[in-house]
Amino acid sequence: MGLIIENISKKFISKHNQMHALEEVNLNINDGEFICIVGPSGCGKSTLLNVVAGLEKSCEGRVCLNGNVINGAGPDRAVMFQESALFPWIKVIDNVEFGMKMAGVPREERRNRALKYLKMVHLTKFQNSYIHELSGGMKQRVALARALTLDSKVLLMDEPFAALDSQTKTILQIELQQIWWETKKTIIFITHNVEEAVLLADRVIVMSANPGKIKKEFNIQLARPRKFESVDLTYLVADIMKELISEVEKVAKFEYDSDWNMEADTILSDIDNNLGAGL
Amino acid sequence: MITIWELVYRLTVDVLGIWKPYVFPSPIEVFKTFKHLLSNNILIVAIIASMQRIIIGYLISLILGIVLGLVIVRYKYIDENVSALILGIQTLPSICWLPFAVLWFGLNDSAILFVTTIGSTFAITIAIQSGIKNVNPLYIRAAKTMGANGLNIYWNVIMPASLPTIVSGMKQGWSFAWRALMAGEMLFATVGLGQVLIVGRDVADISQVVAVMIVIILLGLLVDKLIFGKIEANIRYRWGLNSN
Ligand SMILES: Nc1ncnc2c1ncn2[C@@H]1O[C@H](COP(=O)(O)OP(=O)(O)OP(=O)(O)O)[C@@H](O)[C@H]1O
Ligand SMILES: [Mg+2]
């Protein structure tokens, strides 16, 4: 039972190069578990999430949800994207109702349930607004409400709070924890922010790049509700950060043709040198 | 503005005599002609005839344009072979189809209807095609994760998402159709605004010519602003494209 990611490999082949985005990724996720994935940019986090969502096909391996092999997107796995991906041509409430409409839920029930979820994210006042009338944080909250209406066991979130200011982020983190607590969903949550990962997750997965692999797992056994100020949390964050920074450095070296050094001030002079040589 | 017009008329035609009265109309004359054309029903009959033609022509082009656009988007093979052709044909002013139409249908209403329809059809086809192709793929992905598939995605996501482009194509199609219709009517219609315009020329009645021109402008504006303007304003509001 649960969500089982088995031996997933994924290559992107384009005209100029071949990208090994994922290599033999294995992950067993229990029902109701909150997983956070961190890793350097471009290590294949989004790709992995999209494979689980069924939006992208893997070259090898398979994903099973409760014993059924996943093959295509479906409402049993709600997805929240980095950009809210709300529809600008309909009102907030109709956006929230969209999934239920696709499922053929009768109009009245649909409306009631949508209102319930909008209430959960404190946006009932904006039900008749259009999307462009909302702030970034409000958009992500509507997207969260829209994902929740699917009533799926699994919720996939790709850096949903990355573009938000820290206050809004904190509020949404608290809301998300509460919702997870109440609904007992299985959540896969991608983030760049290690603190956020430790705050939310039962398990933090650190990925490495080129090829994208799981490097290390951390079980977070802190009591909930968690606070940023707690010493245990800070300690764990530092631990994971160490792991992550060495990965980020590796990627940077690779991308900047090994001129890269973590001492930032040398980079600028390097660039200057290159410019001089080019003249 | 009308006062200035009248003053210019008085000055150049009556006082200085630079222009002959059949070259430059006075607003009073134009208004009189306008009333005359109204009272003997010529204008009303002409407007009805022209409107009938444009509505039929436009509806046909709407249906053909949408169907053709959808077929092109659906079948890659057709897209690759037909799209460039349509873009090429589209650069041809509709009225250039008239000789072709006359050879096909003869000197009659069908030929006029054909030139009215043809330019508009391709404008709408192109709009459908580019509108659908430019739908943000994120919307489609999001819809898929919410359980939408096949026709549902078309109807609930792709169509509304491409509506802004499609409506501006429809508007462009309308103006193509209107121009082509007027040109066609001027050449050989027995009734219609273009025909009244040509009669004005034949009897050297500049007032009639100008009066009919004004009617044509007003009708064009009316449809453009009232119908398409409203729809576009509504779309812009929903999408948040208004600057204020
Ligand atoms: N459609 C695609 N075609 C070709 N290459 C792709 C495609 N999508 C992703 N890639 C490549 O696969 C790798 C992994 O991309 P992915 O988006 O999964 O990274 P990520 O870990 O989500 O990065 P970030 O943290 O910046 O979002 C990248 O190197 C990227 O260049
Ligand atoms: Mg990503």
Side-chain angles (χ1 to χ4, degrees):
Chain A
M1 287 295 110
L3 186 64
I4 300 169
I5 299 170
E6 251 176 51
N7 248 331
I8 293 289
S9 292
K10 171 87 186 170
K11 277 183 187 152
F12 287 109
I13 298 161
S14 62
K15 274 182 198 139
H16 313 293
N17 56 359
Q18 199 188 38
M19 187 75 220
H20 214 145
L22 293 171
E23 189 180 80
E24 294 182 10
V25 173
N26 286 289
L27 195 59
N28 282 1
I29 301 170
N30 299 324
D31 276 337
E33 200 173 8
F34 200 133
I35 300 279
C36 280
I37 300 179
V38 295
S41 183
C43 71
K45 304 183 293 291
S46 298
T47 309
L48 180 61
L49 200 82
N50 286 336
V51 168
V52 176
L55 291 168
E56 203 125 39
K57 287 232 177 306
S58 64
C59 303
E60 280 166 47
R62 55 183 199 168
V63 181
C64 297
L65 178 60
N66 297 327
N68 301 318
V69 177
I70 283 171
N71 151 37
D76 53 338
R77 283 148 290 138
V79 183
M80 217 181 133
F81 300 90
Q82 185 164 352
E83 309 97 283
S84 59
L86 297 168
F87 302 142
W89 55 88
I90 46 181
K91 292 175 177 168
V92 165
I93 185 88
D94 298 318
N95 265 283
V96 177
E97 283 180 26
F98 189 90
M100 293 186 280
K101 190 174 162 194
M102 292 303 107
V105 177
R107 185 177 295 257
E108 199 149 316
E109 189 190 340
R110 215 156 77 194
R111 181 63 39 126
N112 289 335
R113 265 164 66 185
L115 281 172
K116 184 185 113 193
Y117 285 107
L118 267 184
K119 200 167 180 181
M120 215 184 252
V121 296
H122 313 297
L123 279 176
T124 28
K125 258 202 279 184
F126 289 87
Q127 53 176 299
N128 287 319
S129 303
Y130 284 102
I131 302 308
H132 68 93
E133 295 166 313
L134 306 179
S135 72
M138 283 148 84
K139 280 183 200 159
Q140 286 308 67
R141 272 146 70 193
V142 175
L144 181 59
R146 181 174 78 167
L148 292 174
T149 58
L150 297 177
D151 223 359
S152 59
K153 275 305 293 168
V154 179
L155 180 55
L156 309 171
M157 308 174 86
D158 191 352
E159 303 187 38
F161 307 150
L164 304 178
D165 66 279
S166 60
Q167 287 95 322
T168 313
K169 198 186 289 189
T170 311
I171 294 170
L172 286 181
Q173 283 163 351
I174 292 168
E175 275 175 19
L176 179 61
Q177 285 189 74
Q178 208 147 24
I179 287 164
W180 173 69
W181 196 248
E182 283 165 14
T183 57
K184 303 276 184 292
K185 286 183 193 297
T186 309
I187 298 183
I188 303 182
F189 187 102
I190 292 175
T191 174
H192 273 126
N193 186 330
V194 177
E195 284 187 336
E196 182 175 62
V198 176
L199 184 80
L200 295 171
D202 293 324
R203 194 149 43 117
V204 176
I205 313 287
V206 179
M207 283 182 68
S208 63
N210 292 312
K213 273 184 168 176
I214 291 179
K215 189 183 183 202
K216 205 161 174 185
E217 293 186 19
F218 292 84
N219 279 312
I220 315 292
Q221 282 159 339
L222 304 176
R224 293 176 191 265
R226 297 171 185 166
K227 292 215 160 61
F228 278 129
E229 304 84 57
S230 115
V231 184
D232 295 332
L233 193 143
T234 321
Y235 181 79
L236 264 168
V237 168
D239 228 21
I240 297 172
M241 202 65 126
K242 236 184 350 207
E243 208 65 48
L244 186 61
I245 281 183
S246 74
E247 274 315 309
V248 171
E249 199 169 348
K250 234 170 62 190
V251 171
K253 268 199 179 115
F254 178 81
E255 279 179 1
Y256 292 86
D257 295 334
S258 62
D259 284 359
W260 179 274
N261 193 314
M262 265 306 180
E263 263 74 62
D265 52 355
T266 59
I267 308 160
L268 280 178
S269 61
D270 270 350
I271 289 168
D272 274 340
N273 287 344
N274 287 340
L275 281 178
L279 283 172
Chain B
M1 209 174 78
I2 289 172
T3 327
I4 296 175
W5 177 8
E6 180 67 30
L7 280 177
V8 171
Y9 173 80
R10 288 274 156 84
L11 196 72
T12 54
V13 179
D14 288 356
V15 183
L16 298 172
I18 310 171
W19 284 330
K20 301 270 169 11
Y22 61 81
V23 182
F24 197 82
S26 110
I28 295 170
E29 283 304 313
V30 169
F31 187 69
K32 274 188 196 153
T33 313
F34 183 69
K35 263 174 65 178
H36 174 70
L37 286 175
L38 270 183
S39 66
N40 63 13
N41 273 344
I42 290 179
L43 202 54
I44 299 296
V45 170
I47 290 177
I48 290 173
S50 292
M51 280 324 237
Q52 237 168 19
R53 285 199 187 100
I54 187 111
I55 288 169
I56 294 172
Y58 189 64
L59 282 182
I60 293 174
S61 76
L62 212 55
I63 294 166
L64 283 181
I66 290 173
V67 169
L68 194 56
L70 290 178
V71 166
I72 286 177
V73 172
R74 179 72 183 74
Y75 298 101
K76 216 180 164 93
Y77 177 79
I78 298 180
D79 186 3
E80 281 162 1
N81 294 291
V82 173
S83 293
L85 185 69
I86 288 181
L87 270 174
I89 291 175
Q90 184 60 10
T91 60
L92 188 72
S94 311
I95 196 62
C96 300
W97 281 97
L98 196 68
F100 181 88
V102 169
L103 288 179
W104 265 41
F105 301 103
L107 278 172
N108 55 31
D109 256 23
S110 307
I112 295 181
L113 204 61
F114 180 82
V115 291
T116 310
T117 306
I118 191 97
S120 172
T121 301
F122 290 138
I124 292 167
T125 300
I126 290 172
I128 295 263
Q129 198 187 349
S130 77
I132 291 178
K133 277 190 177 168
N134 290 320
V135 171
N136 185 347
L138 189 61
Y139 293 147
I140 296 168
R141 291 156 72 96
K144 279 185 183 163
T145 66
M146 290 186 282
N149 48 34
L151 220 54
N152 261 334
I153 293 185
Y154 240 89
W155 193 244
N156 291 295
V157 182
I158 295 178
M159 271 303 143
S162 50
L163 204 60
T165 316
I166 293 175
V167 168
S168 54
M170 282 166 58
K171 186 175 161 182
Q172 195 192 24
W174 165 266
S175 76
F176 284 175
W178 185 236
R179 279 160 214 205
L181 175 67
M182 288 304 120
E185 283 183 351
M186 279 170 67
L187 287 175
F188 55 75
T190 47
V191 52
L193 280 169
Q195 182 261 348
V196 183
L197 199 61
I198 251 1
V199 168
R201 185 206 64 180
D202 289 346
V203 300
D205 183 352
I206 188 83
S207 305
Q208 179 168 342
V209 170
V210 171
V212 175
M213 278 165 69
I214 291 174
V215 171
I216 293 173
I217 291 173
L218 287 180
L219 281 177
L221 273 182
L222 202 73
V223 175
D224 221 61
K225 290 281 169 283
L226 273 187
I227 300 178
F228 290 107
K230 279 246 170 70
I231 299 175
E232 277 193 323
N234 184 282
I235 289 176
R236 295 182 73 81
Y237 166 69
R238 283 171 175 232
W239 288 65
L241 297 171
N242 287 326
S243 47
N244 50 355

